Amino acid sequence: MLTAKVGVLGAGVTGVRVVEHLRTLGHTNILVSDKVVARAQRLSALHTTDEIRVAAVTREELFECGVVVLAFGSPHAHMSTQLIQRGVSVVSLSDNVSDCMNLLALDAQAKEHKTVIIVGAASSPGVTGLLLRSMTDRFDTIDEAHVAMHGTGGPDCARQHHDALSGQSIGWHDDEWLRRPSGSGRELCWFPEPVGAYDCYRAELPDPVLLKKAMPELERITARVSATRRDRFTARLPMLAPPHAEGGMGAVRIEVRGNRGGSRIVEIAGIAERIAQLAGVVSAASAHAVATGAVTVHGARVLGEPELPNAALLELVLASGVRVHQFVGA
Amino acid sequence: MNFIRRVLMVLGIAGAAGAILRLKGRSESSTTRGGWRPMTPSESDSANSLSTKK
């Protein structure tokens, strides 16, 4: 049993999954905080037993933890700064580009306080970095990575998805950052069953920035997200209807291109899973790695960086029931 | 008055044309044949596995 205190800030759809997986990984002292106190208390009542303590606490009490998972809607930079300054490591699920950039900018501060901040430890970004790193063994050299995602987690994730379709997408293309309007660049992407094929578009997603940090040798990186015609048409308007409590089955895929034995090779890996579940598993595994000392480096880090125990993290993710599939026969 | 009508008409036509261009169009299919099979990720880093027990 792991008795070190692990904090979870946000007791929504994803926060619930984070707590469940921390319990599965053997953590017995979990502190939960949420702006809606009743949600944290409900989660606490659900998981607390004679041996396991899941306590609903205030934000300030999270400063007692060794690592805190930020599972609420962005921005995370301000809270992360406060945590780092008190020597608490952070696992952030933020998928907002500017927020992720601000989190990466905390690198020096995190090193100074001997803490680590794992940026974008969710599904996309997050598991995409782990998959990218795991696929490197299949290539002599890798030069392209193209990510696509379908589905959303909780309401904050749905709002972020909506906003992402109205901004400017970022892509890495031959040594320069290219900005294109979100909602352009339609591509029919096939996801593992039962999700199937969806039209995906450029969007303001942080994946290219984080994957470039994870693997600087990449020459082309793009990220797309699935969207319906209504999503694209209403992207620049406020959300017309409140988002669902949780999106349905989602999926993530990463297409990696490179060379092997002098030939051009394309490998595609994908995961079909509820996005909140996948994000919860990845962030809980990351927090577990930090809490158990498996992450020995400091500063702002992203999943897929060679300094992190990526294979072990992916192993933990797969042990939770997530299945990775490979596209074959194209 | 006429000027305002013309401006509104031009904006309307431009908006309609923009909406059609945005919503219509062909998908570029990245992969059209094949299927998915379970994949076992690389185990090259298995020595670095994380314990769930203290």
Side-chain angles (χ1 to χ4, degrees):
Chain A
M1 291 200 293
L2 299 163
T3 54
K5 284 181 184 172
V6 178
V8 179
L9 184 48
V13 173
T14 311
V16 168
R17 267 60 181 268
V18 176
V19 172
E20 283 172 6
H21 288 285
L22 284 172
R23 268 197 59 176
T24 310
L25 293 169
H27 291 270
T28 56
N29 200 354
I30 303 167
L31 306 186
V32 185
S33 180
D34 193 283
K35 61 184 176 187
V36 182
V37 179
R39 276 204 305 214
Q41 288 173 338
R42 196 162 51 231
L43 191 56
S44 163
L46 187 68
H47 289 286
T48 299
T49 64
D50 291 341
E51 294 176 343
I52 298 166
R53 176 178 174 253
V54 178
V57 299
T58 61
R59 279 191 175 209
E60 288 67 32
E61 288 175 83
L62 292 177
F63 297 136
E64 301 165 10
C65 299
V67 56
V68 171
V69 180
L70 302 184
F72 58 96
S74 57
H76 289 180
H78 180 64
M79 187 64 195
S80 300
T81 308
Q82 292 183 350
L83 288 164
I84 286 170
Q85 285 172 348
R86 287 165 175 81
V88 182
S89 291
V90 174
V91 174
S92 166
L93 283 86
S94 178
D95 57 353
N96 177 288
V97 176
S98 56
D99 193 31
C100 285
M101 300 291 275
N102 290 337
L103 290 168
L104 291 175
L106 295 174
D107 182 53
Q109 215 171 342
K111 282 177 180 162
E112 186 189 332
H113 290 91
K114 294 190 168 37
T115 56
V116 62
I117 171 165
I118 299 184
V119 183
S123 47
S124 174
V127 80
T128 48
L130 297 178
L131 289 175
L132 174 64
R133 181 57 63 182
S134 81
M135 291 163 82
T136 52
D137 287 353
R138 297 162 181 251
F139 295 83
D140 296 333
T141 57
I142 287 181
D143 47 41
E144 291 188 43
H146 304 282
V147 173
M149 188 179 90
H150 167 72
T152 56
D156 284 330
C157 186
R159 285 188 197 96
Q160 179 60 35
H161 175 270
H162 179 84
D163 293 343
L165 282 167
S166 62
Q168 288 266 314
S169 78
I170 303 175
W172 182 250
H173 189 96
D174 296 343
D175 295 332
E176 61 176 330
W177 291 107
L178 288 187
R179 287 188 169 268
R180 294 278 185 268
S182 294
S184 62
R186 184 198 312 239
E187 187 173 307
L188 183 64
C189 293
W190 295 79
F191 295 95
E193 297 301 333
V195 175
Y198 277 90
D199 276 330
C200 294
Y201 304 86
R202 295 190 190 104
E204 196 170 297
L205 303 169
D207 292 70
V209 176
L210 302 185
L211 291 179
K212 181 66 184 166
K213 178 167 166 55
M215 206 171 277
E217 64 266 35
L218 288 172
E219 291 170 12
R220 291 184 185 185
I221 313 171
T222 61
R224 283 179 165 77
V225 67
S226 72
T228 61
R229 290 185 173 185
R230 192 182 66 178
D231 291 337
R232 296 172 62 226
F233 196 67
T234 61
R236 283 170 176 79
L237 304 172
M239 285 190 91
L240 300 179
H244 297 291
E246 184 177 2
M249 182 62 91
V252 175
R253 57 170 261 162
I254 181 163
E255 181 172 332
V256 182
R257 300 177 189 170
N259 297 303
R260 184 175 63 210
S263 306
R264 191 79 181 146
I265 302 290
V266 179
E267 296 267 4
I268 305 171
I271 295 173
E273 184 56 82
R274 283 179 179 270
I275 296 299
Q277 172 78 2
L278 189 54
V281 169
V282 173
S283 56
S286 304
H288 177 74
V290 175
T292 54
V295 175
T296 53
V297 288
H298 299 135
R301 303 286 168 173
V302 300
L303 297 180
E305 274 188 58
E307 293 85 3
L308 294 184
N310 298 296
L313 286 171
L314 188 56
E315 204 176 287
L316 282 184
V317 171
L318 299 183
S320 71
V322 171
R323 294 283 166 265
V324 181
H325 287 82
Q326 178 187 14
F327 193 86
V328 289
Chain B
M1 198 64 188
N2 263 348
F3 176 72
I4 294 170
R5 274 188 197 148
R6 278 180 195 165
V7 168
L8 288 175
M9 193 173 72
V10 168
L11 287 177
I13 292 168
I20 290 167
L21 286 174
R22 187 168 173 82
L23 296 181
K24 292 286 177 187
R26 276 186 196 160
S27 300
E28 184 190 324
S29 174
S30 56
T31 40
T32 53
R33 291 174 295 145
W36 293 93
R37 74 171 180 206
M39 173 182 156
T40 310
S42 158
E43 292 175 358
S44 60
D45 198 16
S46 59
N48 198 13
S49 63
L50 303 180
S51 166
T52 57
K53 303 283 180 194
K54 200 173 192 179

